[in-house]
Amino acid sequence: MRGSFPPNVQFIQADLFTWRPPRRYDTVFFAFWLSHIPPSRLPDFWNTIAAALAPHGKAIFVDDGPAEAAREEVLVQQPIPAVQRRLDDGSPYRVVKVFHDAGELTDKLAALGWSADVRTVGGSFIVGTAEPPTDPG
């Protein structure tokens, strides 16, 4: 599969919570990733995104919204929001899954100093753009 990409495409396998971007980008896009960040690690995640963005850069994202919880086996009374998923062989796995509400996520980002526009689309998804604080200090 990697052979079908242009030579300037680089694949990196890393721990997102310790990785630091080697350069800055005008846009950082992620899809169906944000919902797998534990709430306690959300500020660090957004700090990593901010470090990856060039001045005036934007993060653009899409993910499952709260309505998608009806399609999952949500585990209740967990220290971290989670769902149980099964592989084709039936083996169960607990997966971090936070179904962000668009308004609440906008407020959380604002509390971190980000300017964000997060909306519910199609009833089941959230889409958003976010710009980091201009003065990270």
Side-chain angles (χ1 to χ4, degrees), residues 23-28 52-59:
R23 57 176 278 214
R24 300 178 90 187
Y25 304 90
D26 294 329
T27 304
V28 171
L53 288 170
H56 308 291
K58 287 186 181 184

Side-chain angles (χ1 to χ4, degrees), residues 16-17 30-46 61-70 72 74 80-83 85 95-110 112 116-128:
L16 180 66
F17 299 108
F30 45 97
F32 303 98
W33 183 266
L34 187 60
S35 60
H36 297 292
I37 306 295
S40 64
R41 301 196 81 174
L42 201 60
D44 289 338
F45 171 79
W46 285 104
F61 56 91
V62 61
D63 213 317
D64 293 320
E68 283 298 296
E72 294 274 9
V74 177
I80 297 172
V83 298
R85 292 190 176 160
V95 177
V96 171
K97 188 68 174 176
V98 181
F99 297 97
H100 291 284
D101 172 81
E104 289 175 11
L105 182 56
T106 300
D107 292 345
K108 286 177 186 176
L109 286 166
L112 296 173
D117 179 16
V118 186
R119 299 170 189 239
T120 301
V121 175
S124 296
F125 304 103
I126 59 167
V127 296

Side-chain angles (χ1 to χ4, degrees), residues 7-25:
N8 63 340
V9 172
Q10 181 182 18
F11 291 88
I12 300 170
Q13 181 177 340
D15 177 343
L16 180 66
F17 299 108
T18 60
W19 176 80
R20 293 296 168 244
R23 57 176 278 214
R24 300 178 90 187
Y25 304 90

